Amino acid sequence: MKLITIGDNVVDCYLDRNEYFPGGNCVNVAVNAKRNGASSVGYIGIFATDGPADHIKAAMREEGVDFHFSREAIGITGQPKVALTEDNDRVFVGGPKDTVQHRFKIQLIQEELEYLKQFDICHVSCYSSMESELAKIAKEIKVSYDFSNRKDLEYISSIAPFVSYAFFSAAELSEAELNEFIESLASFNFDIIGLTRGGEPAVFVHNQNIYKQTLRSIEVVDTMGAGDSLIAGFLTEYVKNYDIEKAMEKGTVSAEKTCQEYGGFGYPAKM
């Protein structure tokens, strides 16, 4: 199984620990896909020219992710700040808005579109600013897309024709609201819909059948990147044999491992 991701890279800055960790949805999915057995993983993004960008690249090299088609732009890396609540939940509390990813976007050239053909699937997120490129990508390869908490149907319909695997964060929805949202997605004909729900079991939809994740009791260190890790584990298994239940189990194990270390996949550095 071969996977490529295109889009965001950041460092998550843990204020309580005075440390930052490499992250961003597309970086997390890429690294965790490799850890879950993908034979080849690529990444295309825009790296800044600062220390945090160097740290992200060093971690990706260590994990075996190829990023040679990535761009480099003078500027700073995204650095979302993360604080702890009274219940020890991690919440984002801001960060710089003049990062290279805020200032620039990726336009794929023909050589890169040819490169995509050697992979089985391309994962993109709503943080990637890749909406205008999805039609190009979908002509060459199946697309996985993380909508995160973007559930407005106008936005979804604008890119749905190019997306095969759609993932959403739905932690704030009640059971009734969740079912209503799933019904509203039926007309888009996604191959797979995955909805993470915070501490509740994730839900997957395939051919109008609904599957619920089985959660196990584990000792949680940090939930950062758990949803990205779930996606990575799910995709690496599903694209191999199209068995949704096996893929859900692989995704669950992947997320469990991520919850037992700090950051999206480790590699702390002092702020």
Side-chain angles (χ1 to χ4, degrees):
M1 188 275 181
K2 299 179 180 181
L3 177 143
I4 185 168
T5 69
I6 306 177
D8 55 320
N9 65 82
V10 303
V11 290
D12 296 310
C13 301
Y14 285 32
L15 302 180
D16 61 305
R17 298 177 62 84
N18 197 36
E19 291 179 324
Y20 65 72
F21 296 81
N25 176 272
C26 287
V27 168
N28 289 340
V29 170
V31 169
N32 281 292
K34 198 71 170 69
R35 289 184 174 185
N36 275 283
S39 60
S40 177
V41 176
Y43 169 77
I44 300 176
I46 302 173
F47 288 112
T49 50
D50 56 7
D54 292 338
H55 186 64
I56 298 169
K57 288 188 279 190
M60 296 179 79
R61 285 191 198 96
E62 183 70 20
E63 294 289 335
V65 176
D66 178 7
F67 53 86
H68 78 277
F69 274 117
S70 291
R71 287 87 163 118
E72 187 174 273
I74 296 172
I76 62 172
T77 299
Q79 299 167 43
K81 297 184 183 347
V82 184
L84 278 177
T85 67
E86 292 181 358
D87 299 321
N88 289 325
D89 289 328
R90 295 199 177 276
V91 293
F92 291 104
V93 292
K97 301 300 182 186
D98 58 344
T99 68
V100 295
Q101 283 201 305
H102 281 99
R103 296 169 56 212
F104 305 105
K105 61 183 293 185
I106 294 171
Q107 288 187 307
L108 297 170
I109 62 173
Q110 190 58 41
E111 182 183 7
E112 292 160 345
L113 294 171
E114 291 296 321
Y115 173 64
L116 294 185
K117 293 179 182 179
Q118 64 184 265
F119 297 93
D120 298 302
I121 190 165
C122 176
H123 177 78
V124 185
S125 87
C126 64
Y127 304 111
S128 302
S129 300
M130 289 295 295
E131 288 87 351
S132 62
E133 298 296 285
L134 289 177
K136 288 187 202 174
I137 298 170
K139 286 181 180 178
E140 310 298 343
I141 187 174
K142 282 195 169 185
V143 174
S144 161
Y145 197 88
D146 190 347
F147 288 86
S148 187
N149 57 5
R150 293 204 64 173
K151 291 185 281 292
D152 49 298
L153 296 181
E154 184 177 352
Y155 176 74
I156 296 169
S157 66
S158 70
I159 59 177
F162 315 118
V163 175
S164 296
Y165 307 117
F167 296 94
F168 298 87
S169 174
E172 80 286 1
L173 299 184
S174 67
E175 200 73 25
E177 290 169 334
L178 179 70
N179 291 332
E180 183 180 344
F181 181 58
I182 290 172
E183 287 180 15
S184 72
L185 297 176
S187 63
F188 297 126
N189 296 315
F190 296 123
D191 291 353
I192 294 283
I193 301 168
L195 304 108
T196 58
R197 305 177 65 206
E200 297 297 314
V203 171
F204 288 81
V205 185
H206 177 53
N207 289 337
Q208 299 183 325
N209 295 313
I210 295 178
Y211 303 82
K212 283 197 173 181
Q213 177 192 32
T214 299
L215 293 179
R216 292 178 284 264
S217 178
I218 63 168
E219 185 175 341
V220 175
V221 172
D222 181 18
T223 59
M224 179 70 74
D228 304 339
S229 186
L230 175 72
I231 292 171
F234 180 89
L235 291 174
T236 52
E237 183 65 28
Y238 187 75
V239 173
K240 286 193 294 188
N241 56 34
Y242 300 101
D243 184 323
I244 191 166
E245 292 184 335
K246 283 186 178 179
M248 287 171 62
E249 172 63 16
K250 187 73 171 280
T252 300
V253 171
S254 179
E256 287 174 349
K257 291 177 180 176
T258 297
C259 286
Q260 293 175 69
E261 67 177 335
Y262 286 105
F265 53 92
Y267 294 91
K270 285 297 178 185
M271 287 169 55

